[in-house]
Amino acid sequence: MQEKFVYMDHTATTPVSPEVMKAMMPYFSEVFGNPSSVYSYSKKSRAAIEKARMQVANAFNAAPAEIFFTSSGTESDNWALKGTLENLKSKGKTHLITSKIEHHAILHTAEYLHKIHGFDVTYLPVDSEGRVNPEDVRNAINDKTALVSIMFANNEVGTIQPIKKIGEICREKKVLFHTDAVQAAAQLNIDVKDLNIDMMSISGHKMYAPKGIGALYIRKGIRLENFMHGGGQESARRASTENLAGIVGLGEAMEILKTRLDDDMRRISSWRDEIISGILAKIPYAKLNGATGSERLPNNINCSFIGVEGETLLLDLDYRGISASTGSACSSASLDPSHVLLALGLKHEMAHGSLRFTLGRLTTHDHVKYLLEVLPEIVARRREMSPLWEDFLKSNA
């Protein structure tokens, strides 16, 4: 059917903005010199990279020398965890602390570090809204702890963590603190110094820059083992010929983000709240997952619907032209319920019946109204065909 194209999956990826595309174009075929070459033509490429490094650094109150370009948020996460643990193991620091609701780029890396290299990993629980208790972090730290890695905001349910308090505890305990800010960096004002962040991962395609580019902030003075080996790029800390156009695009995206973030998020958060209120008012036994208000990412709506499968709802929404998700795009092919929702305490049947809508620059208020018109009809129709819904009604009669 697809009467409309309503894109509500900005957490999965975003389109490259026209301004970013325009900034990138010369670096594909006009200014294409290898930044590591010594002749004058390549100096233009080097200058473009350093400009982008400054743009990214300025967005987070970091120094340009603290920004290292990578291929993705996943690479940045891997580098932060593996590089820190490898660097500090000779000092007896063999313990990693993270949470149960991290992105798989963190969880699978932690699993690898434990199974293959024998490092100890503590997975902290979260409350019913997906929030880590800073005191749990304090209590988990011991004399072998090398790193605490807690995501800035959850990609599925949108809950923003108490990052500043966690950073204070880590600084007090002299333990390094990394945060995966892949979702948060596109939606929140972040000051790495004020928040006591030692390392932070970001990804370009979540903020209207291209896929295949990311960055890792590493506070001055922190040493990591290199994740990639080869040439001397990125101050000899990340080998591989630089993705010149992608780096320029990331820098331009960050520059744009700084100028329009507050206005965008005011508008988008009001639509988020309108959708949440509409869903809870129009659909019986719908449940909001995650935190509310200012403790939630401005663009995130995650709701569960008892008696229906989220995958079925997605297909129905797609037929009506609405693109959404059942959770993380990296896990969308899995039939298992979301590890995030289970960690929040949801039962399997509720976790299976969840949908995530994430708003962005493509969203209009007409899209919001259309979703609230279509979704209640879809849920009601699917419930009429669902034996799970019948059983639920009988048990609650």
Side-chain angles (χ1 to χ4, degrees), residues 35-52:
S36 297
S37 298
V38 297
Y39 42 79
S40 58
Y41 180 69
S42 288
K43 291 181 181 178
K44 296 179 181 178
S45 301
R46 171 54 54 192
I49 289 175
E50 296 313 314
K51 176 185 176 182

Side-chain angles (χ1 to χ4, degrees), residues 87-133:
N87 185 58
L88 293 177
K89 67 180 180 181
S90 63
K91 298 180 180 179
K93 302 291 186 178
T94 57
H95 177 223
L96 168 68
I97 298 171
T98 187
S99 82
K100 293 181 177 180
I101 65 165
E102 298 296 310
H103 189 277
H104 284 111
I106 295 292
L107 293 178
H108 288 171
T109 303
E111 181 182 5
Y112 163 84
L113 287 167
H114 173 65
K115 287 187 174 180
I116 305 301
H117 294 283
F119 292 110
D120 295 324
V121 183
T122 297
Y123 298 92
L124 297 178
V126 294
D127 65 19
S128 61
E129 294 185 342
R131 193 178 298 102
V132 172
N133 184 341

Side-chain angles (χ1 to χ4, degrees), residues 2 18 32 56 69 86 117 149 151 240 319 334 336 366 387:
Q2 295 217 354
F32 61 85
V56 175
F69 294 113
E86 284 295 323
H117 294 283
S149 181
M151 69 193 323
S240 185
Y319 182 70
S334 172
D336 295 329
D366 283 343

Side-chain angles (χ1 to χ4, degrees), residues 69-73 75 203-205 209-215 238 243 246-247:
F69 294 113
T70 65
S71 66
S72 61
E75 183 192 329
S203 178
H205 78 105
K211 299 171 181 65
I213 186 65
R238 195 271 184 184
N243 176 1
I247 289 171

Side-chain angles (χ1 to χ4, degrees), residues 211-247:
K211 299 171 181 65
I213 186 65
L216 180 64
Y217 159 76
I218 306 174
R219 184 169 60 82
K220 183 180 179 181
I222 293 175
R223 300 303 306 171
L224 306 179
E225 288 295 319
N226 287 359
F227 181 62
M228 296 178 66
H229 300 87
Q233 293 87 357
E234 293 300 284
S235 301
R237 299 185 76 173
R238 195 271 184 184
S240 185
T241 300
E242 298 91 341
N243 176 1
L244 178 57
I247 289 171

Side-chain angles (χ1 to χ4, degrees), residues 179-198:
T179 186
D180 177 338
V182 165
Q183 295 300 331
Q187 302 185 61
L188 302 173
N189 288 301
I190 297 176
D191 183 326
V192 292
K193 291 184 173 62
D194 179 62
L195 296 174
N196 303 295
I197 294 170
D198 295 311

